[in-house]
Amino acid sequence: MLATLARVAIVRRSGLPRGPCSRRGLCTGRPQADTHNVMKPLEGVKILDLTRVLAGPFATMNLGDLGAEVIKVERPGAGDDTRTWGPPFVGTESTYFLSVNRNKKSIAVNIKDPNGVKIIKELAAICDVFVENYVPGKLSALGLGYADIDRIAPHIVYCSITGYGQTGPLSQRAGYDAVASAVSGLMHITGPEDGDPVRPGVAMTDLATGLYACGAIMAGLIQRYKTGKGLFIDCNLLSSQVACLTQVAANYLIARKEAKRWGTAHGSIVPYQAFKTKDGYLVVGAGNNLQFATVCKILNLPELIDDCKYKTNHLRVHNRKELIRILSARFEEAMTSEWLHRFEGSGVPYGPINNMKNVFAEPQVLHNGLIMEMKHPTVGKISVPVTSMDTPLHTK
């Protein structure tokens, strides 16, 4: 095995060591767990990662955060497509690539070469999980499909991430987030009410698929623990995003109500949207009558509370335009900071629309430990966003 690995060209280390500020590489007031003697949930689990771009790498990065050892396989000479996606770059590294590839060891293998196929099979034999995101049938043609890997590693949890699924009329199409979000209907319901469809600001279809894959893989590991046998997992962008349509899909499937774009507003709750202030925007949501009454008191519009047009959410939805016009005029009378002060402690959900600078200066973001500082082997110290959890993250 060591001889085999010696033949593999090392692209570069994409995983990153712990930062200097704490064991999570983070300087905040949040208590940090002592991770020296804490076993990570997936410690000892080995993952062979043949994925590129976002959905797959995001899934395997999250598994790596939980302690799994991730071996990322890339194309010789080029690597993951996202290594070239930019600007911005830090040194020669794409910040896009850095955002979803921590906690990984990177190797370059030509899987079109028989020797490369042999290397992948040898690695699969000692791994617990095999993750790939090739067009259905492509890896099978190379001898690396599920049936091929299952023969040499019947314990393997094999996860295939595709655009549209393993079979069907669209199965041979390449899957990119924007296209899948269009086909799935997400783009149809995203954007200004009277404007064009809009792509969400981040690749939510890719990210949702990555999270589904991450959960399915962990469930697969539990099933293998019970049965001793591996299994095949089919995750795809289309299915993930259609599932995430939730109440919008249910509105159509149950009530045959076609969806539309609402901008920042909500089709079934009023008020629940962004309001322009003197210097920015504030999002306010009143999900029940008590919250609506509280909003009216804060805005010094008590006459709206008992107005027969707004006494229930159903009536507020029906009379949306008139109500929003009244509320909007009042919100524009003061600065965002003033409204934040007035809503504090009210019990009403509210918050400003932050740019990135304000997001990462937000006290709750800092308290939750959502910024991790790490030292990259070639570009030095970098910061990346992480999730907040009681289980200490595994970073290297």
Side-chain angles (χ1 to χ4, degrees):
M1 187 64 209
L2 290 176
T4 298
L5 289 176
R7 296 197 300 270
V8 178
I10 303 297
V11 176
R12 67 195 70 164
R13 181 96 171 186
S14 60
L16 301 167
R18 297 183 188 274
C21 296
S22 73
R23 291 182 181 91
R24 286 184 58 188
L26 175 66
C27 298
T28 75
R30 185 183 183 214
Q32 299 294 315
D34 184 345
T35 62
H36 280 309
N37 300 313
V38 177
M39 184 175 182
K40 312 301 184 298
L42 297 183
E43 191 169 320
V45 173
K46 291 184 172 64
I47 298 175
L48 189 58
D49 179 8
L50 274 70
T51 67
R52 305 91 68 208
V53 187
L54 184 54
F58 185 64
T60 56
M61 179 185 72
N62 278 282
L63 295 168
D65 282 351
L66 294 172
E69 178 184 352
V70 182
I71 303 170
K72 182 178 177 71
V73 178
E74 301 187 65
R75 292 176 297 164
D80 190 314
D81 292 349
T82 61
R83 287 188 183 272
T84 65
W85 286 10
F89 294 93
V90 53
T92 60
E93 299 284 355
S94 161
T95 59
Y96 193 117
F97 176 83
L98 293 174
S99 72
V100 289
N101 283 290
R102 64 176 175 266
N103 288 331
K104 300 177 185 180
K105 301 172 181 177
S106 179
I107 62 174
V109 180
N110 181 4
I111 62 173
K112 295 180 181 179
D113 185 284
N115 289 328
V117 172
K118 182 173 181 290
I119 291 170
I120 297 301
K121 287 183 174 180
E122 289 179 353
L123 287 171
I126 62 167
C127 285
D128 302 284
V129 179
F130 187 111
V131 191
E132 56 89 6
N133 64 346
Y134 286 83
V135 172
K138 185 169 183 179
L139 286 189
S140 294
L142 297 173
L144 295 174
Y146 173 63
D148 304 298
I149 301 301
D150 182 56
R151 276 193 291 271
I152 61 170
H155 65 279
I156 206 81
V157 174
Y158 190 112
C159 179
S160 177
I161 301 174
T162 62
Y164 302 96
Q166 299 297 312
T167 60
L170 301 184
S171 62
Q172 291 304 300
R173 289 189 187 179
Y176 263 37
D177 173 89
V179 179
S181 70
V183 176
S184 68
L186 176 62
M187 203 175 288
H188 172 72
I189 60 174
T190 306
E193 185 174 357
D194 299 319
D196 294 332
V198 172
R199 175 186 175 274
V202 294
M204 289 308 303
T205 301
D206 268 340
L207 297 175
T209 304
L211 290 175
Y212 273 122
C214 184
I217 288 168
M218 288 192 284
L221 288 170
I222 293 173
Q223 179 169 315
R224 191 190 70 181
Y225 175 77
K226 295 177 178 178
T227 67
K229 297 178 181 180
L231 71 157
F232 178 81
I233 297 169
D234 172 16
C235 281
N236 66 82
L237 304 184
L238 179 65
S239 297
S240 297
Q241 188 54 67
V242 169
C244 286
L245 293 177
T246 56
Q247 93 281 355
V248 175
N251 289 347
Y252 176 76
L253 293 173
I254 298 171
R256 285 296 182 262
K257 182 176 180 178
E258 182 55 79
K260 58 172 286 185
R261 291 181 286 283
W262 287 103
T264 66
H266 194 289
S268 302
I269 306 171
V270 175
Y272 188 2
Q273 66 180 74
F275 293 94
K276 186 173 176 57
T277 67
K278 271 190 174 181
D279 63 339
Y281 294 89
L282 185 76
V283 177
V284 175
N288 56 52
N289 295 334
L290 178 60
Q291 289 179 344
F292 175 68
T294 302
V295 170
C296 293
K297 292 174 184 176
I298 292 172
L299 271 61
N300 196 24
L301 294 169
E303 66 275 12
L304 299 181
I305 298 173
D306 294 319
D307 191 310
C308 63
K309 297 191 296 293
Y310 312 129
K311 286 185 69 66
T312 68
N313 180 69
H314 179 75
L315 290 169
R316 292 192 289 273
V317 171
H318 182 71
N319 297 290
R320 175 193 301 268
K321 288 188 177 180
E322 181 182 353
L323 177 58
I324 295 303
R325 178 180 57 78
I326 297 170
L327 299 181
S328 296
R330 183 53 55 91
F331 274 110
E332 288 195 76
E333 293 177 2
M335 308 284 276
T336 302
S337 58
E338 174 65 22
W339 291 122
L340 292 173
H341 175 72
R342 293 189 191 182
F343 274 91
E344 180 66 33
S346 67
V348 174
Y350 70 99
I353 294 182
N354 285 329
N355 60 20
M356 290 303 101
K357 180 178 180 180
N358 290 336
V359 168
F360 294 109
E362 169 64 47
Q364 191 66 48
V365 170
L366 297 174
H367 174 80
N368 286 356
L370 305 184
I371 309 168
M372 181 184 292
E373 292 182 351
M374 296 178 288
K375 186 172 177 57
H376 188 278
T378 62
V379 301
K381 187 173 73 172
I382 64 170
S383 297
V384 293
V386 295
T387 188
S388 175
M389 58 177 69
D390 291 332
T391 300
L393 293 180
H394 171 76
T395 60
K396 60 184 180 179

